[in-house]
Amino acid sequence: MQRRPLHPHKGDQNREQNTEDEKEYYQYGGAMGALFTSVCFIGLTYIVVEKIQSGKWEMLRVPEFPSHVGGWLDFRAAAMFLGWLGAQCILYLLPIGGPIELGSPTKDNGRRLSYRLNGFFVFMVNTICLLAATYAGVPVTMLTSKALQLLTAGLVTFFLLSIVLYAKGMTLRPRDRSPCGQTKSAYYNWFIGVELHPRFGFLDLKLVLFRSVVIGWMIFNWVNVMDAYETGHLTPSLILVSSLQLVYVLDTFWFETGMLVSREIIHEALGFNHLSLCLMIPFTFCVQTRYLVTTGFTLPWYCLVPILVLNLTGYWILRGSNSEKNNFRRNPKDPAFAKYETLPTRVKGKNLLVSGWWGMSRHPNYFGDILINFTFALPTGFGHFLPYLNPVLLVLLLIDRERMDGEDCRQRYGDVWDKYCEKVKYRIIPYVY
Ligand code: NDP
């Protein structure tokens, strides 16, 4: 899906010269591929939203979209979307709810940016507001009927934001821009993003957007649970899926510090591509809970228990491997790692773990994540493919991401990385892949 040359930077001393050489970094097969991909993803999101709203899941049915402009976008939905997104930005900026932490040195000029890690607090504030609104009798379930207009409001907002970000990025010196956003195609640069860490003052757009869309997903899940409560469809499958997804999100926010070392924060610029993928999350990740509400489908407990066990296994792998790596990166001299086999690299403080989770595969955390995401879909049975769309897309994304991360690590660690790959043969799933 995404391809990049193996050695984009020959070294920091050559960075200026590389930029002048007009490097071409094309993902998605270039500008046309990028256009095709974004049209497909946006189209798919609209189709999913139409199914969510109509509750009609027949596979061959032609989606019924509104024939008037107001059905696609109205003032109320736009105000709701912008008001809510603005509130997330303000909550990030408030000096409460979490510590300020330094991120990794940036790829563009090696600065260490500071971030307020109050995601858990912000999530709780959103939850309390939602519960209070529900208790006060606000018809929160009307959010589903507004989903199409909210999606369009988000799309227009993110489209305009991507233009602002492009213009902002173009004011930077070439060496301070993302290498991927410096091709000859202006369209492609706008799509993939020019600036690696777009900020307005202290407001870090990537972190705020990521946490906001995840919270948006939870809001739609809550709406679905309320809908099920009102219609008598609060089934064991729905309770399990919404609880598992809630725990997954709580875990993400509780360990938000892990976001600072993620590829999104360190390596990926913010362009229309990333913005539109973010926009998909609240509308498509709630498809499993919506499917269960509208169909009333449920599995018996003896099927749900093994799914729960699979989910816990996924957590054990995901959390175990992420914590192991993050702790090792934070304090490689921790006595807990005394018995671990490691490979020394030329980068200070960055040896590679060869035993423990990271000795079983090169991305054990992706394996855990994949298992967890399939347990979100399994309680919906096998009556429809849409609940499986996200886990399948995640598998494709993580396969591609593993290859890109491998390329980056090879550039950073040279032949030590090759040695690591010789010792740890499997990419994601031990003995399988
Ligand atoms: P990872 O957490 O997988 O980190 C990869 C980095 O770890 C490498 O670049 C390298 O960085 C370091 N590393 C690799 N091998 C070793 C080793 N043997 N020993 C020590 N360090 C090593 O990065 P991601 O950002 O891709 O993933 C973060 C989390 O986000 C994962 O749990 C993933 O599952 C999840 N995720 C979830 C998605 C979703 O939609 N649900 C989408 C994408 C990710 P360095 O050496 O520079 O420290």
Side-chain angles (χ1 to χ4, degrees):
M1 202 156 40
Q2 301 178 22
R3 288 288 160 262
R4 293 187 303 167
L6 264 180
H7 299 287
H9 288 304
K10 291 167 194 131
D12 277 357
Q13 71 278 22
N14 289 345
R15 180 175 290 172
E16 200 78 88
Q17 184 201 330
N18 277 351
T19 306
E20 281 154 24
D21 286 346
E22 187 87 48
K23 300 180 304 290
E24 301 271 346
Y25 284 63
Y26 281 122
Q27 301 171 21
Y28 301 97
M32 288 315 289
L35 177 65
F36 178 75
T37 309
S38 57
V39 168
C40 283
F41 277 137
I42 292 166
L44 186 66
T45 311
Y46 270 101
I47 291 171
V48 170
V49 167
E50 193 273 345
K51 292 218 174 284
I52 281 173
Q53 279 189 330
S54 66
K56 296 175 185 166
W57 299 94
E58 297 85 0
M59 304 223 196
L60 296 176
R61 187 182 62 89
V62 178
E64 294 159 21
F65 287 112
S67 53
H68 56 288
V69 179
W72 290 86
L73 180 62
D74 67 7
F75 177 76
R76 205 164 153 215
M80 272 164 64
F81 180 82
L82 289 172
W84 174 76
L85 196 60
Q88 308 312 306
C89 296
I90 293 169
L91 286 169
Y92 175 81
L93 292 173
L94 289 182
I96 47 173
I100 289 188
E101 285 204 12
L102 287 177
S104 304
T106 58
K107 270 174 61 177
D108 41 21
N109 55 21
R111 293 164 297 163
R112 291 189 73 189
L113 298 168
S114 48
Y115 298 83
R116 182 174 315 285
L117 297 185
N118 62 352
F120 195 84
F121 164 78
V122 173
F123 176 72
M124 284 307 175
V125 171
N126 275 270
T127 307
I128 290 166
C129 291
L130 197 59
L131 291 178
T134 310
Y135 185 72
V138 175
V140 289
T141 49
M142 63 85 185
L143 274 180
T144 309
S145 57
K146 282 256 162 233
L148 200 94
Q149 288 107 322
L150 287 168
L151 173 60
T152 310
L155 191 60
V156 173
T157 307
F158 284 1
F159 178 74
L160 295 176
L161 180 61
S162 67
I163 294 174
V164 173
L165 290 177
Y166 178 75
K168 184 172 177 291
M170 293 308 283
T171 62
L172 299 173
R173 290 174 303 173
R175 59 173 297 159
D176 292 335
R177 295 181 208 154
S178 161
C180 299
Q182 299 193 45
T183 68
K184 287 185 189 127
S185 163
Y187 164 75
Y188 180 83
N189 298 343
W190 159 79
F191 173 80
I192 212 75
V194 175
E195 199 177 352
L196 269 175
H197 304 281
R199 292 185 152 213
F200 293 103
F202 181 67
L203 183 73
D204 187 89
L205 279 185
K206 280 202 285 190
L207 193 60
V208 168
L209 281 176
F210 175 75
R211 65 161 65 155
S212 303
V213 293
V214 172
I215 292 171
W217 166 28
M218 286 297 103
I219 292 176
F220 275 114
N221 264 11
W222 175 252
V223 166
N224 290 338
V225 169
M226 285 317 295
D227 217 349
Y229 178 71
E230 285 168 12
T231 55
H233 281 161
L234 203 51
T235 58
S237 269
L238 178 63
I239 292 170
L240 182 70
V241 175
S242 43
S243 308
L244 295 183
Q245 295 188 343
L246 176 64
V247 171
Y248 183 71
V249 167
L250 286 174
D251 172 273
T252 305
F253 287 136
W254 190 256
F255 294 97
E256 199 180 21
T257 179
M259 268 306 289
L260 303 190
V261 290
S262 69
R263 284 192 63 82
E264 274 94 358
I265 294 290
I266 296 179
H267 296 283
E268 290 170 8
L270 190 60
F272 186 69
N273 172 41
H274 206 74
L275 289 166
S276 56
L277 289 177
C278 274
L279 189 61
M280 283 181 80
I281 290 177
F283 298 99
T284 58
F285 280 38
C286 68
V287 78
Q288 289 116 356
T289 52
R290 192 70 202 155
Y291 178 79
L292 290 169
V293 179
T294 50
T295 60
F297 178 87
T298 191
L299 285 177
W301 67 268
Y302 53 84
C303 293
L304 296 178
V305 170
I307 294 174
L308 178 62
V309 172
L310 190 63
N311 179 275
L312 294 176
T313 310
Y315 259 109
W316 177 53
I317 300 172
L318 177 81
R319 192 43 48 219
S321 54
N322 274 337
S323 299
E324 189 176 67
K325 174 172 65 74
N326 294 346
N327 292 342
F328 183 65
R329 279 286 171 258
R330 240 189 319 258
N331 182 13
K333 296 207 171 86
D334 188 326
F337 296 108
K339 292 204 172 113
Y340 278 61
E341 188 190 345
T342 59
L343 276 177
T345 74
R346 281 182 287 275
V347 184
K348 194 165 172 261
K350 288 218 169 182
N351 293 349
L352 294 171
L353 286 165
V354 191
S355 55
W357 288 109
W358 297 81
M360 292 181 206
S361 80
R362 288 177 233 156
H363 270 100
N365 50 351
Y366 289 0
F367 179 38
D369 217 341
I370 289 169
L371 286 184
I372 293 173
N373 273 272
F374 270 97
T375 63
F376 296 161
L378 287 170
T380 66
F382 296 105
H384 206 286
F385 75 94
L386 267 185
Y388 289 85
L389 186 69
N390 284 326
V392 169
L393 286 180
L394 182 73
V395 170
L396 297 178
L397 177 111
L398 292 182
I399 287 176
D400 190 50
R401 202 176 166 98
E402 188 281 328
R403 285 177 189 272
M404 287 199 297
D405 194 52
E407 286 174 10
D408 288 341
C409 286
R410 184 163 294 116
Q411 283 160 34
R412 273 200 298 277
Y413 304 124
D415 54 351
V416 180
W417 182 255
D418 292 327
K419 219 189 260 174
Y420 173 66
C421 294
E422 261 170 45
K423 282 179 175 276
V424 182
K425 296 220 175 329
Y426 298 100
R427 291 171 181 274
I428 298 178
I429 308 178
Y431 305 105
V432 177
Y433 176 74

